[in-house]
Amino acid sequence: MVIGADLPAINSAMPIWIVPLFPLTGALVLLLTGRRWRGLLSGWFASFLVGASFVSTIVLLLDFLGGDGEAALVNRLYQWVAAGSFSVDVAFRVDPLALVMALTVSGVATLIHIYSIDYMRGDPRFARFFAYLNLFVFFMLVLVLANNFLLLFVGWEGVGLCSYLLIGFWFERKPAADAAKKAFIVTRIGDSAFLIGIVFIWLRFQSLDFEVVFARAPELAAGTATVLALLLFAGAVGKSAQLPLHTWLPDAMEGPTPVSALIHAATMVTAGVYLVVRAHPIFEASEVALTIVATVGIVTAIYAGLSAIGQDDIKRMLAYSTISQLGFMFFGAGMGAYSAAIFLLVAHAFFKAMLFLGAGSVMHGLRGETDMMRMGGLRRAMPLTFWTWVIGWLAMAGIPPLSGFFAKDQVVASASENGRLWFWIAALVGSLLTAVYMSRATFMTFFGRPRSEQKPHDAPPRMGLALVVLAAAAAFGGILGLSAVNGILPAFLEPVFGAAEEPHGPLTVLALALASSAVAVVGIGIAYLVYGSGRIDWVALRSRFAGAKRASQRGFYVDDVYTGGLVAPAKLGSAFLAYVFDRRVLDGAVNGLGRIIGAFAGRGRAVQTGRVRSYALAVLLGVVGVLSYLVVRF
């Protein structure tokens, strides 16, 4: 039996559609009337509605817990598509996985909305910004609450649209406009494969409802399951910025910092992880799909970790960090540790959103500065930002007892527990890189001597509130998963994924935890020795290894290869078609035909002289010609 596939559906006391309705209302009201709002009122209005969505999700959680503990709450609103045998409903589903995702999305989004009120103060398109944020939250909630693949795809494409709008919010800046187009185009590659996968799912199961598809997934032949799983995974790779479709995410940092925190750290980019774990019965029916997921995940984690070490821009460093941490989530899912992957997703939403907002606080205090080479010594001038950043830094590095330690330790340990030694070693290498690049950023930004002539200041109260709440969640969120078997979150997700297996690898749980902690401490120690101790001239060191530094900073030239090997030839080919083939061949053929007809018409006009004698002579010649023809013929 597939766990979570044939759960009985019962009706919720509160309609599930209420949850996404709140942010949709905010988006529509602000888009239609935003210019009439004065001051910061539109920001508070949008924040209130997202907060109402979070409260509604809590009500749904209580409603769910008040049931039998094993049911899925489903609201079927109406029949959406009916064409022959193809029928799809607009239906929303609440089960443990959907609740965890909806709580994470709406909770983190509420804090980021509040943070944005001060961060975006004075922007001429203030109300429009919050309209886009609300619209994004709506589509993200549709994505995680959908009860079928087609409605999920609507939310999937909706968050892609909102990502385009928000990355390019400051569209008057060419880098922002280019980054928005790049994100939209690159993610469409994976989305196209995802859409094909949905078509194949319908052809195979004659349904797109999760209950039907997942209940019958074990019947799939291994080859068919592999094709379906990899098509879905291709969509996840694009949306979650995994190799080779990762290049859009670092450039997406051109958008406002709250956008980076909400869309590109805590919510949208995790949609791919959600898709894989939601569709895990299809992946499990394949013999190789989960191994491919794990391999892509760990390779991406290591690659992005190495790239993050070379970044001087604090937001681009966090962007590569996001790519790396998403790789760990896919790695956990590929190991079959679905609860651990979701636990890391939740913990990452806390500390990464906080780190992005912390970076925004630094930029706010330094008038938009993002270059860590021009920072340093900020811990005294920005104590609130510093201490909340420290919590996020240590949580992400995997230092106990913070949330990142428990979450990442379970993901890394899953490889050892499955007897995959080389995967476990690779995961430890990725964890070491995480500790190194996060510690490097911390020492360069907050320690040492000040390298900026500006006078920094700490975050305003509303921005500080979001930092403190997220830091507290990053610090104490580990309580959700103290045990990979009996923890709160694994137990809650058990109806979806089944009971977690007891560890059975060659190493004990304590040994695995000690290994992860030791790796984190070693990584922090390496970064301290180079960037914090003062014993090494790290500026001279980067000059000495300029080639390696440049390669890391440019993401090992993957984007350059795409630009030179794909984008440039495509632009050249488009230019040839537009300015040579279209103008000279297609337009030339049409224009040439027009000139020929014009020439004949000109000859015809020459005959029309308007003289009666010429017409009479022409009639006479015509009559003579006809008579001559008749005489000759007869």
Side-chain angles (χ1 to χ4, degrees), residues 521-537:
V521 171
V522 169
I524 294 173
I526 293 172
Y528 173 75
L529 179 64
V530 177
Y531 297 98
S533 67
R535 299 177 182 177
I536 297 177
D537 186 349

Side-chain angles (χ1 to χ4, degrees), residues 346-538:
V346 173
H348 178 264
F350 296 150
F351 58 69
K352 182 53 68 63
M354 193 278 301
L355 289 168
F356 263 113
L357 296 185
S361 179
V362 170
M363 294 169 59
H364 190 271
L366 294 177
R367 299 183 180 180
E369 183 61 70
T370 62
D371 190 349
M372 292 185 289
M373 292 289 291
R374 299 178 182 177
M375 298 179 186
L378 296 181
R379 69 184 187 279
R380 296 184 182 89
M382 309 180 69
L384 177 63
T385 302
F386 168 67
W387 286 111
T388 53
W389 177 282
V390 165
I391 293 174
W393 157 45
L394 297 179
M396 189 168 172
I399 298 298
L402 305 178
S403 61
F405 163 74
F406 294 101
K408 187 174 291 185
D409 174 66
Q410 291 178 19
V411 169
V412 174
S414 64
S416 175
E417 293 165 1
N418 281 286
R420 299 186 176 186
L421 177 62
W422 290 109
F423 271 119
W424 178 64
I425 293 174
L428 288 179
V429 172
S431 297
L432 175 68
L433 295 173
T434 300
V436 171
Y437 65 68
M438 279 307 304
S439 301
R440 170 183 177 268
T442 302
F443 293 130
M444 288 182 66
T445 302
F446 294 99
F447 291 86
R449 61 177 180 80
R451 295 184 294 277
S452 174
E453 297 179 357
Q454 301 184 41
K455 296 182 179 180
H457 57 82
D458 219 334
R462 280 185 287 265
M463 294 172 62
L465 174 64
L467 291 174
V468 170
V469 175
L470 287 170
F476 302 110
I479 196 173
L480 295 173
L482 292 175
S483 168
V485 178
N486 301 315
I488 297 173
L489 193 60
F492 183 65
L493 293 172
E494 184 175 328
V496 180
F497 302 130
E501 298 182 4
E502 293 288 341
H504 55 272
L507 299 176
T508 65
V509 174
L510 179 59
L512 293 170
L514 290 175
S516 296
S517 300
V519 166
V521 171
V522 169
I524 294 173
I526 293 172
Y528 173 75
L529 179 64
V530 177
Y531 297 98
S533 67
R535 299 177 182 177
I536 297 177
D537 186 349
W538 55 268

Side-chain angles (χ1 to χ4, degrees), residues 167-179:
I167 294 171
F169 183 74
W170 290 323
F171 54 83
E172 60 274 9
R173 297 172 51 241
K174 189 176 185 302
D178 290 343

Side-chain angles (χ1 to χ4, degrees), residues 198-373:
I198 292 175
V199 173
F200 283 1
I201 288 173
W202 165 258
L203 293 176
R204 178 61 180 80
F205 297 105
Q206 296 297 298
S207 176
L208 295 178
D209 284 357
F210 291 154
E211 294 91 345
V212 176
V213 173
F214 298 154
R216 295 174 56 190
E219 303 171 4
L220 291 171
T224 303
T226 299
V227 171
L228 292 179
L230 293 184
L231 286 171
L232 298 180
F233 183 54
V237 164
K239 194 69 74 180
S240 295
Q242 299 293 282
L243 282 170
L245 300 179
H246 67 287
T247 55
W248 65 271
L249 186 57
D251 289 353
M253 297 303 105
E254 293 292 340
T257 298
V259 173
S260 303
L262 176 63
I263 297 181
H264 306 120
T267 51
M268 188 192 91
V269 292
T270 61
V273 180
Y274 168 76
L275 175 63
V276 171
V277 298
R278 171 61 79 187
H280 71 277
I282 296 177
F283 285 81
E284 290 176 348
S286 168
E287 297 176 350
V288 298
L290 286 178
T291 300
I292 293 174
V293 171
T295 302
V296 170
I298 198 59
V299 171
T300 301
I302 294 175
Y303 159 81
L306 291 170
S307 299
I309 292 176
Q311 304 304 313
D312 292 332
D313 186 295
I314 191 170
K315 288 182 66 178
R316 287 186 70 88
M317 182 279 299
L318 290 173
Y320 276 107
S321 165
T322 298
I323 297 171
S324 180
Q325 299 309 302
L326 289 167
F328 277 108
M329 296 175 207
F330 280 109
F331 176 73
M335 290 291 109
Y338 306 117
S339 295
I342 294 299
F343 183 24
L344 180 57
L345 183 154
V346 173
H348 178 264
F350 296 150
F351 58 69
K352 182 53 68 63
M354 193 278 301
L355 289 168
F356 263 113
L357 296 185
S361 179
V362 170
M363 294 169 59
H364 190 271
L366 294 177
R367 299 183 180 180
E369 183 61 70
T370 62
D371 190 349
M372 292 185 289
M373 292 289 291

